């Protein structure tokens, strides 16, 4: 009887440990910051990687609009695809786990919207593509309004 109880306690304990690590891996961490947004602590390298990804995203968005104004839908599709989910495949897991779950969802949703722009570009419907771009960019705004990265210098000499 006692060993059965012990076995169940062990199962319960292990379940808790697994749940804790599963939570740690997917939940990420963000803290309140001075400007009212939630701040995510990254190393300088991680921050640089993310910000480069952001600047590339802005560049792609501009290039999509320029191609659209020329009614060059093949280029719209190519650029939108390259700004879609395939970018996330290159993000290292260690960085990923620092991003809070709602932010990850917002990021994935935005990438998926770029995939949809790519998929629909063949319809050659400028109004539709512009509407999709406007909607996707609402996500850029929403995420920037809610989250920021730490300057990456916390814990370094002199801080
Ligand atoms: C899921 C969240 C999220 C989404 C979606 C998002 N961003 Fe960002 N972006 C951030 C964060 C966080 C920063 C850093 C802001 C800070 O620390 O003040 C940032 C910074 C930037 C920067 C500044 C880069 C630099 O070098 O300082 C640009 C440009 C940018 N984003 C463009 C975009 C564009 C364009 C989109 C949409 C197509 C977009 N972002 C969507 C989270 C996001």
């Amino acid at each position: 009887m006692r060993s059965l109880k012990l076995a169940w306690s062990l199962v319960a304990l292990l379940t808790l440990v697994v749940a804790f690590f599963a939570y740690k891996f997917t939940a990420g961490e963000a803290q309140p910051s001075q400007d009212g947004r939630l701040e995510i602590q990254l190393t300088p390298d991680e921050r640089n990687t993310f910000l480069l990804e952001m600047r590339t995203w802005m560049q792609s968005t501009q290039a999509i609009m320029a191609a659209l104004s020329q009614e060059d839908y093949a280029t719209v599709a190519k650029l939108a695809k390259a700004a879609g989910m395939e970018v996330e495949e290159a993000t290292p897991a260690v960085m990923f786990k620092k991003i809070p779950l709602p932010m990850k969802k917002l990021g994935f949703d935005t990438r998926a919207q770029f995939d949809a722009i790519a998929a629909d570009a063949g319809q050659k419907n400028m109004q539709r593509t512009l509407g999709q771009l406007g909607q996707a960019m609402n996500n850029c705004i929403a995420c920037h309004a809610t989250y920021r990265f730490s300057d990456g210098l916390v814990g370094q000499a002199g801080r």
Side-chain angles (χ1 to χ4, degrees), residues 36-77:
R37 293 184 293 172
L38 292 170
E39 185 170 88
I40 297 137
Q41 304 284 329
L42 298 176
T43 66
D45 278 353
E46 289 165 346
R47 180 172 181 266
N48 286 339
T49 304
F50 264 116
L51 290 180
L52 175 62
E53 211 175 85
M54 287 293 153
R55 295 194 298 278
T56 309
W57 218 356
M58 179 138 145
Q59 234 172 343
S60 316
T61 308
Q62 187 278 339
I64 290 169
M65 294 216 264
L68 189 60
S69 74
Q70 304 292 314
E71 300 185 57
D72 179 357
Y73 289 96
T75 303
V76 168

Side-chain angles (χ1 to χ4, degrees), residues 64-117:
I64 290 169
M65 294 216 264
L68 189 60
S69 74
Q70 304 292 314
E71 300 185 57
D72 179 357
Y73 289 96
T75 303
V76 168
K78 203 178 80 188
L79 291 166
K81 177 106 202 346
M85 275 313 280
E86 66 181 40
V87 178
E88 300 295 344
E89 286 156 22
T91 307
V94 61
M95 279 163 67
F96 236 10
K97 80 174 193 200
K98 295 190 175 178
I99 303 294
L101 197 55
M103 185 180 171
K104 272 199 272 261
K105 280 191 182 149
L106 199 51
F108 286 153
D109 182 66
T110 318
R111 294 292 184 198
Q113 291 198 37
F114 275 83
D115 282 339
I117 292 172

